Amino acid sequence: MTDTRTVKSVCMDADEIERSLTRIAHQILEANHGASNIALVGILTRGDLLAHRLASKIKQIEGTDVPLGALDISFYRDDFATFAPEVHASRIDFDVDGKRIVLVDDILYTGRTIRAALDAIMDLGRPSRVELAVLVDRGHRELPICPDFVGKNVPSSHEENVRLYLQEVDGRSTVEIFDVEPGA
């Protein structure tokens, strides 16, 4: 997808994204005393891609493959009836009961996506703990959601859009800020 809007600011380049993910991987391992009972669950679509990168970094650090899942929260969204979401298949091939689940998302904004993800995870079982890792926290929470692991805090206004582009789908890796288009 090509975005024709004018970029106001580049918050993170590819190297900064990778450094942040390396730091988050180390923080996840430290907080959980290793990788023995954790599983990563990426929120589709870019959270899933970030979860894959984190799993790879954890394997490099610990030498352990952690369970990895992908979560589609489309039907759990509180605004589901107001638009036609692009539905993907969730893929969680492990038992979440008793696991320490690390939800992975790209940009944390109002907290509504995370609320939907928590509902979806709880429908699958009862993890011992759920933690949240995000690449960017832009503030403006509408729900009491707080990330455990953050790549970068990026102050923004409601009139701005913060977007992650990843090499795998966009041909480049960067975090950029745009003005919200009128009427959006």
Side-chain angles (χ1 to χ4, degrees):
M1 176 179 115
T2 303
D3 204 323
T4 58
R5 297 174 293 176
T6 303
V7 176
K8 278 180 79 168
S9 167
V10 174
C11 305
M12 299 175 85
D13 62 21
D15 290 337
E16 290 171 299
I17 290 169
E18 285 307 305
R19 280 193 299 275
S20 291
L21 291 173
T22 299
R23 181 172 29 81
I24 289 170
H26 280 282
Q27 290 172 341
I28 289 169
L29 291 169
E30 183 177 336
N32 290 286
H33 307 287
S36 65
N37 195 36
I38 64 170
L40 302 178
V41 176
I43 299 172
L44 288 165
T45 58
R46 284 172 175 75
D48 178 43
L49 297 171
L50 293 175
H52 276 85
R53 289 186 184 190
L54 283 171
S56 174
K57 290 181 182 300
I58 288 171
K59 176 149 176 105
Q60 290 171 0
I61 297 164
E62 285 284 299
T64 302
D65 286 313
V66 296
L68 184 59
L71 190 63
D72 180 16
I73 54 107
S74 297
F75 294 114
Y76 290 89
R77 292 175 54 116
D78 58 8
D79 60 354
F80 173 74
T82 63
F83 74 106
E86 184 177 329
V87 178
H88 303 276
S90 289
R91 191 183 65 261
I92 298 181
D93 302 327
F94 54 88
D95 187 3
V96 301
D97 287 338
K99 282 274 188 217
R100 294 177 79 105
I101 302 293
V102 180
L103 282 175
V104 181
D105 202 11
D106 56 352
I107 313 289
L108 178 58
Y109 183 32
T110 63
R112 293 180 181 278
T113 296
I114 305 309
R115 190 231 21 106
L118 289 168
D119 287 348
I121 286 290
M122 295 307 167
D123 277 354
L124 297 173
R126 190 173 194 273
S128 66
R129 181 180 183 104
V130 179
E131 297 172 321
L132 176 59
V134 297
L135 183 63
V136 173
D137 182 352
R138 64 174 287 194
H140 303 289
R141 222 71 82 237
E142 295 174 2
L143 299 171
I145 303 286
C146 182
D148 299 281
F149 314 105
V150 178
K152 186 171 186 172
N153 289 295
V154 175
S156 65
S157 77
H158 288 293
E159 289 76 37
E160 294 174 320
N161 186 5
V162 180
R163 171 129 178 157
L164 168 66
Y165 295 93
L166 287 175
Q167 186 68 39
E168 298 93 312
V169 290
D170 304 304
R172 62 194 170 105
S173 291
T174 185
V175 177
E176 299 174 353
I177 295 180
F178 302 90
D179 281 324
V180 172
E181 296 177 10

